[in-house]
Amino acid sequence: MRLTGPLRAVAVLLMVGLTWLVANTLFGGESGSSVRHFFSGASEKPTAAELRPRRYKCGLSAPCPPKHLAFRLVSGAANVIGPKICLEDKMLVSSVKNNVGRGLNIALVNGVTGELMDTKNFDTWAGDITDLLKFLRPLHEGTLVFVASFDDAATKLNDESRRLFEELGSTAVKELAFRDSWVFVGAKGIENKSPFEQNTKNSNKYEGWPESLEMDGCIPLRPPLEG
């Protein structure tokens, strides 16, 4: 039986399509690869971007729960590389922002809203400790205090300044010594000691300075104060 008219055209199209599929399957190419994957059910290899670990706020390895603030603190390395304070993927303090200096680098954050209130640097090697005392004394209940050291954080600290940090939840500040590295997150009115603190004694890792410290985590926002 001979095909005529429309039937012949359909048959020709089918033959052309089948020939194309067979040729691409046998001889490769992107389309051939797609055909082979279609028939075999094999999945394509993941791309480099898919293999790369997912990055969360401030470089954390996992996301923070709801109503928590993601943070990362990095102390300065010797007297060369400045410290960093990151909160909710925003750099609050860094050399790039040109707001770091020798001593203690501090960021104040509203513990209810997570909003930045202020950033300051205090030279605790040759500066006036009175400036730090005036900064810490009037803090309001619930204020979060982020601290990252650079160079020397302890020489000018006196009993009152150490006590004020202890009231914010620090346990290491009492023994903080010349050129120790220190990162700390505390809060005004905290009932217990802060779980967010690291301190490295001067181990002479960098010709007279200890190694840099890095700490990250999630801080819960506190409910609004009553009244």
Side-chain angles (χ1 to χ4, degrees):
M1 179 179 177
R2 298 179 62 183
L3 299 177
T4 60
L7 292 178
R8 179 187 293 273
V10 171
V12 170
L13 289 174
L14 288 175
M15 286 298 294
V16 171
L18 182 59
T19 301
W20 178 84
L21 288 174
V22 172
N24 277 278
T25 303
L26 291 176
F27 299 109
E30 292 185 1
S31 56
S33 175
S34 299
V35 172
R36 287 195 299 274
H37 286 307
F38 177 79
F39 285 109
S40 65
S43 59
E44 295 184 5
K45 292 182 179 180
T47 64
E50 292 171 336
L51 290 173
R52 190 180 305 122
R54 185 171 178 181
R55 179 189 177 281
Y56 296 94
K57 291 179 179 178
C58 291
L60 270 65
S61 59
C64 288
K67 297 184 179 181
H68 282 66
L69 301 175
F71 77 91
R72 181 183 295 275
L73 298 179
V74 182
S75 69
N79 62 346
V80 180
I81 302 175
K84 297 177 182 179
I85 299 178
C86 176
L87 184 69
E88 285 293 285
D89 230 19
K90 296 179 180 179
M91 197 62 68
L92 307 184
V93 172
S94 72
S95 296
V96 174
K97 293 181 69 69
N98 197 30
N99 62 349
V100 303
R102 178 176 61 190
L104 297 179
N105 296 271
I106 302 177
L108 301 182
V109 174
N110 187 310
V112 176
T113 65
E115 295 179 355
L116 177 65
M117 300 166 59
D118 200 0
T119 62
K120 284 278 178 65
N121 161 254
F122 300 93
D123 185 347
T124 46
W125 185 75
D128 186 352
I129 195 62
T130 303
D131 295 334
L132 176 62
L133 298 177
K134 291 179 179 179
F135 186 72
L136 295 178
R137 285 170 182 160
L139 294 182
H140 296 293
E141 188 86 1
T143 300
L144 296 174
V145 182
F146 296 78
V147 183
S149 67
F150 184 28
D151 193 338
D152 174 44
T155 295
K156 286 287 185 175
L157 291 182
N158 58 15
D159 290 343
E160 183 181 1
S161 59
R162 293 177 189 269
R163 178 180 56 78
L164 288 172
F165 280 116
E166 286 181 328
E167 291 175 356
L168 297 173
S170 173
T171 56
V173 70
K174 186 176 182 180
E175 305 296 331
L176 198 65
F178 177 63
R179 287 184 177 173
D180 287 355
S181 291
W182 185 39
V183 287
F184 166 67
V185 183
K188 181 68 173 181
I190 188 172
E191 296 180 359
N192 302 306
K193 297 303 179 181
S194 172
F196 302 115
E197 184 173 32
Q198 291 184 24
N199 169 227
T200 298
K201 292 296 182 181
N202 188 349
S203 58
N204 205 34
K205 183 177 179 65
Y206 298 118
E207 299 181 355
W209 284 270
E211 62 184 341
S212 175
L213 293 175
E214 187 168 337
M215 178 177 68
D216 58 33
C218 304
I219 300 176
L221 290 169
R222 64 176 297 163
L225 297 175
E226 297 181 359

